[in-house]
Amino acid sequence: VPGRSADRRCRAGWREAVAAAAGALQAGGLVAVPTDTVYGVACLAQDSGAVRSIYSLKGRCGGKPLAICLGDVDRLYRYCHVNVPDELLQDLLPGPVTLVLKRSEELNKDLNPFTSLVGVRVPNHPFIRELARACSGPLALTSANVSCQASTLTVSEFQDLWPQLSLIIDGGPIGDVQSPECRLGSTVVDLSVSGKFTIIRPGCALRPTVEILTQKYGLIPEPP
């Protein structure tokens, strides 16, 4: 059946891409990947050399933290101290939200050494979740752009970074390239203080996130 063999080829190509990306990460490389919000650059969070490479790629000041990315919500308990109900995590993740929580001892000390907190992403995108599952520890994830420039929705938009990347996974355009809202990135919310939340970056999912936190869980908003 022609359709079935194309489907098999597609699955094989997918597996090959995940394996190639995982191999590049394990060798200490930086990989550009599509997410559910914008294109990102990932490396292994537990690899201090690779973390330094991401900062150098972005031209980013060392005091600006990197988020970690996991394939599944239940992995979060290994790298963070969670003080909210599991149901709350399941309501927000996977999705376009970064949850900021207290970091655990498991996390690389060289990743954001200036803060006791860490932002966690479980993007609602099958490729990056599969890639995160294929790697032993968390990924460090940042947007694929030079610091202070616009987030990118296609691989051609971050061409200037290509020479420093080990691999680029082209997932096609993400969202509407003409829409500024599509470039907002994830909504970043600090949940590290029990019973409260602070919006650090409004991002693209502000209203539904705030509704869940206040109406369903009774958390109190704090000013940033």
Side-chain angles (χ1 to χ4, degrees), residues 45-118:
Q46 306 296 71
D47 180 335
S48 301
V51 168
R52 282 193 294 276
S53 298
I54 273 203
Y55 276 97
S56 149
L57 169 94
K58 297 261 301 180
R60 185 172 191 161
C61 87
K64 209 170 173 193
L66 292 171
I68 62 169
C69 169
L70 302 167
D72 296 287
V73 179
D74 56 10
R75 300 269 292 150
L76 205 132
Y77 290 89
R78 184 165 177 187
Y79 302 103
C80 303
H81 297 295
V82 180
N83 58 352
V84 293
D86 184 65
E87 196 188 351
L88 185 156
L89 301 181
Q90 304 287 348
D91 280 344
L92 294 178
L93 302 174
V97 184
T98 301
L99 302 184
V100 176
L101 298 158
K102 287 204 161 55
R103 60 193 284 155
S104 80
E105 292 299 304
E106 286 276 330
L107 203 56
N108 180 4
K109 306 280 184 295
D110 292 336
L111 182 85
N112 313 334
F114 44 83
T115 173
S116 60
L117 306 177
V118 67

Side-chain angles (χ1 to χ4, degrees), residues 18 80 88 90 151 155 170 176 185 194:
V18 169
C80 303
L88 185 156
Q90 304 287 348
S151 299
V155 295
D170 187 350
D176 177 0
S194 289

Side-chain angles (χ1 to χ4, degrees), residues 17-42:
V18 169
L25 292 171
Q26 270 140 15
L30 308 182
V31 175
V33 283
T35 76
D36 53 353
T37 53
V38 296
Y39 269 88
V41 174

